[in-house]
Amino acid sequence: MRISLPIMLIKRKSIEAQANTKEGPGKSASTPKPRKIRYAPVTLSEMDGVRYLHFGTEWVQGAMRIRKPDWLELEYAQQMMAWMLFVKAPQHIVQLGLGTGALTKFCYRQFEDARVTAVELNPSVIAICNSMFKLPAEDERLSVLEMDALVYVNDEVRPGSLDVLQVDLYDATARGPVLDTPEFYQACYDALGEHGVMTVNLFGDHPSYAKNLKAMKFAFGHVIALPEVHDGNVIAIAFKQKPVLDFTALYERADAIKTTTKLPAKSWVNGIKSALPV
């Protein structure tokens, strides 16, 4: 495995290279065509007590502080948990795109009554998470599935079965999410239960940003984009039902989240407030 020094650019990408989109998400949302996958090499680096995942480039795909393996080291990953403001007791949390397993680990530790499922296409990423990023062993609550995220959300057993979806599916060339069509986001909408919430990692400084937001709003209707973090990462929150934005209650909820998890949840509420039209 090649070791490289990280250049601290936190533009999150998943394991699918640009070539993997040529066969695309299938023309039919109900019968997606399997994609021929060409995987980028998985590489690691370490700096100042933090281990980084790369896919054959200097770009950081995820991070783990070695002394705090279950902590969300990167700000964008912390913002991916903003659904906690609206869903207090999820029963099934699904992560599309494993990365370093940071979000999967965090959800597994924090929500002891919830099932947590991670969906990852690249077997090397799953292996490296097990060996180098302290991913817990699978049990009755934790499942790690080696499969295409599009196939997962389109499964006939999926509609209405999920409380939370966390979507982080970039290609290795940083050209935007691999799955970005209205059909994909409609399948995500359908997979969520009545009060379900989805968070998506987008790249604000790229044409893919507007394309994804448009597709997301087509499916969900109620979408809020938080302020940009790092070098272009923008977290979008999509709601199955229109959210009740009682900011007094949201700040109280944020305080509770900060107390139990140490996550900066007040900043999420500030971001939601700033995203609303004046």
Side-chain angles (χ1 to χ4, degrees), residues 201-212:
N201 181 29
L202 300 175
F203 184 23
D205 190 22
H206 192 272
S208 64
Y209 176 72
K211 177 182 179 180
N212 276 270

Side-chain angles (χ1 to χ4, degrees), residues 6 30 34 45 53 72 74 91 99 107 116 129 131-132 153-154 169 173 179 187 208 220-221 223 231 276:
S30 60
S45 64
L53 177 69
L72 296 175
L74 303 179
Q91 296 301 299
C107 291
V116 179
C129 280
S131 63
M132 301 298 290
V153 294
N154 274 296
L169 295 168
T173 57
L179 300 177
S208 64
F220 280 81
V223 180
D231 292 273
L276 298 180

Side-chain angles (χ1 to χ4, degrees), residues 76-94:
Y76 95 86
Q78 295 175 7
Q79 285 197 350
M80 287 284 284
M81 298 298 300
W83 57 263
M84 293 175 65
L85 292 168
F86 305 94
V87 182
K88 295 183 179 180
Q91 296 301 299
H92 195 183
I93 304 166
V94 172

Side-chain angles (χ1 to χ4, degrees), residues 36-210:
K36 292 183 179 179
I37 304 303
R38 290 194 287 170
Y39 299 120
V42 177
T43 55
L44 298 177
S45 64
E46 291 185 12
M47 180 178 287
D48 298 329
V50 179
R51 181 172 295 155
Y52 300 95
L53 177 69
H54 310 265
F55 294 132
T57 72
E58 75 276 11
W59 298 103
V60 171
Q61 307 298 321
M64 179 188 75
R65 184 161 295 279
I66 295 170
R67 291 188 176 182
K68 296 180 179 180
D70 293 334
W71 175 243
L72 296 175
E73 182 67 20
L74 303 179
E75 186 180 2
Y76 95 86
Q78 295 175 7
Q79 285 197 350
M80 287 284 284
M81 298 298 300
W83 57 263
M84 293 175 65
L85 292 168
F86 305 94
V87 182
K88 295 183 179 180
Q91 296 301 299
H92 195 183
I93 304 166
V94 172
Q95 173 71 32
L96 302 183
L98 182 61
T100 60
L103 286 162
T104 299
K105 289 187 296 182
F106 191 84
C107 291
Y108 179 72
R109 303 298 189 197
Q110 291 294 326
F111 296 94
E112 295 181 352
D113 295 326
R115 286 193 297 134
V116 179
T117 301
V119 181
E120 172 58 56
L121 197 57
N122 187 342
S124 296
V125 171
I126 297 173
I128 207 73
C129 280
N130 285 317
S131 63
M132 301 298 290
F133 289 98
K134 299 186 183 297
L135 187 66
E138 293 183 66
D139 59 19
E140 67 277 1
R141 290 202 304 113
L142 177 62
S143 299
V144 180
L145 306 179
E146 182 188 327
M147 67 184 301
D148 191 311
L150 184 63
V151 174
Y152 179 85
V153 294
N154 274 296
D155 192 299
E156 62 182 9
V157 304
R158 208 65 62 209
S161 65
L162 311 180
D163 298 295
V164 174
L165 261 174
Q166 300 176 146
V167 182
D168 197 359
L169 295 168
Y170 275 68
D171 66 22
T173 57
R175 295 180 181 273
V178 172
L179 300 177
D180 59 6
T181 64
E183 292 80 9
F184 167 67
Y185 287 120
Q186 183 64 53
C188 291
Y189 176 93
D190 293 340
L192 288 167
E194 182 180 4
H195 301 288
V197 179
M198 176 179 72
T199 54
V200 184
N201 181 29
L202 300 175
F203 184 23
D205 190 22
H206 192 272
S208 64
Y209 176 72

